[in-house]
Amino acid sequence: MNHDVFITCAVTGSGQSHKKSDLVPVTPKQIADACIEAANAGAAIAHVHVRDPETGAPSRDPALYREVVDRVRSSDVDVVLNLTAGMGGDIVLGSAEAPLPLSPQSDIVGATERLVHVEELLPEICTLDCGTMNFAEADYVMTNTPGTLRAMAARIQAAGVRPEIEVFDTGHLWLAKTLVDEGLIDDPVMIQLCMGIPYGAPNDPNSLMAMVNNIPAGWVYSMFSIGRMQMPYVAQAALAGGNVRVGLEDNIWLDRGVLARNGDLVERASTILNAMGCRILGPAEVREKLKLTRR
């Protein structure tokens, strides 16, 4: 069991949850305020996507990231910023019978373009989605080839940013080990086990522990599941030796019929961890643990 746990709050994500809850932040101000709210509730790390302020659709616009980052950094609240670099690998096939040409919904760009906001803003952490995967949607593929990931990892390393390796299935963990062995990711290695997302690793305990038992000694890992399994995974994470992620990216409900704010989810996670006898780490302790460079 891990008795010294840090909490990451994924405040908005890139899905369609803003259509289901008006508490999901959309504008840069709302997203920055959500990061600050999560930090005040006990989160050491805020994981950030941005959205088109007019439509709520996912965006890669560096200007939107800059506004979020500037607002958080200029506040009097300390939180480690973790910017996604997962956007730009979305392929949507035309249909099952006519896959080409790709749907206009596709957003597929090169490694350099996917990291423009990271290299400009130099967050302490950015994500590296370590594999390609089918999601629940019929013709959508999250695309991260080994070549693209090698190129991205090299640029992230050169920028002095700590990658958080997103692992959705066992093969992704294998690829993560390969990148580390090739010298493209520095110690301490940080991974996020993303469980219960169709069609990656299911969120049952046996699947989780198969992943955990294959994590090399010395790696720092966190984990989450989605929907109603978010809070059970808070306890599961600590018991399995890991750290915790909650937030509206993964779950919009606090209780049955009660929509959550990010701060509510962090507070609920803190209550669970405190009841288990855990100590919750603050951002300064996380920086020391992960050897982060604060800008």
Side-chain angles (χ1 to χ4, degrees):
M1 179 172 169
N2 181 18
H3 288 92
D4 296 309
V5 180
F6 63 78
I7 300 173
T8 296
C9 185
V11 299
T12 185
S14 60
Q16 299 299 308
S17 56
H18 65 294
K19 296 181 179 179
K20 302 174 184 177
S21 171
D22 59 5
L23 299 179
V24 173
V26 171
T27 69
K29 181 180 185 305
Q30 290 170 345
I31 294 169
D33 287 346
C35 294
I36 294 166
E37 174 191 314
N40 283 329
I45 302 174
H47 173 56
V48 177
H49 290 249
V50 294
R51 296 173 178 267
D52 184 312
E54 300 298 324
T55 66
S59 176
R60 292 186 288 102
D61 186 346
L64 298 176
Y65 278 106
R66 172 167 288 284
E67 183 176 348
V68 172
V69 169
D70 286 348
R71 286 179 178 275
V72 174
R73 285 177 172 167
S74 64
S75 75
D76 58 358
V77 174
D78 188 18
V79 65
V80 174
L81 285 174
N82 174 350
L83 303 186
T84 185
M87 306 295 293
D90 300 326
I91 287 179
V92 183
L93 302 179
S95 70
E97 295 297 337
L100 298 177
L102 297 178
S103 165
Q105 295 174 292
S106 297
D107 178 31
I108 186 78
V109 296
T112 299
E113 189 170 348
R114 289 177 69 168
L115 290 169
V116 167
H117 61 298
V118 172
E119 293 179 317
E120 177 185 344
L121 300 173
L122 297 177
E124 294 175 75
I125 302 171
C126 74
T127 61
L128 186 67
D129 291 0
C130 215
T132 294
M133 196 180 90
N134 294 323
F135 271 68
E137 293 87 347
D139 296 306
Y140 167 60
V141 182
M142 179 183 76
T143 309
N144 297 285
T145 67
T148 297
L149 290 171
R150 286 185 172 94
M152 291 179 69
R155 297 188 74 93
I156 293 167
Q157 186 179 56
V161 176
R162 175 74 60 206
E164 179 191 69
I165 305 170
E166 304 278 314
V167 172
F168 293 81
D169 213 341
T170 52
H172 301 180
L173 183 56
W174 185 2
L175 180 50
K177 292 178 183 179
T178 300
L179 297 178
V180 173
D181 290 343
E182 291 174 355
L184 292 168
I185 296 175
D186 299 323
D187 290 331
V189 179
M190 178 186 184
I191 68 171
Q192 183 76 250
L193 299 180
C194 311
M195 307 296 294
I197 299 171
Y199 293 98
N203 59 16
D204 64 274
N206 287 337
S207 296
L208 172 67
M209 293 312 299
M211 305 266 273
V212 169
N213 290 335
N214 278 283
I215 295 174
W219 288 23
V220 177
Y221 57 96
S222 183
M223 64 190 71
F224 71 92
S225 188
I226 59 176
R228 64 179 182 176
M229 288 301 292
Q230 184 175 77
M231 289 304 156
Y233 252 69
V234 171
Q236 184 91 294
L239 288 170
N243 299 282
V244 167
R245 168 169 144 174
V246 294
L248 294 182
E249 176 171 350
D250 308 317
N251 165 50
I252 62 173
W253 301 102
L254 182 64
D255 293 303
R256 185 180 295 273
V258 180
L259 291 169
R261 297 181 182 275
N262 282 291
D264 297 333
L265 296 173
V266 175
E267 288 176 1
R268 179 68 59 84
S270 298
T271 297
I272 293 169
L273 293 168
N274 285 324
M276 295 174 67
C278 297
R279 186 174 70 90
I280 298 172
L281 302 183
E285 292 174 295
V286 170
R287 289 189 183 97
E288 183 177 358
K289 183 180 184 72
L290 297 175
K291 298 181 182 179
L292 302 178
T293 302
R294 186 181 185 185
R295 275 91 176 189

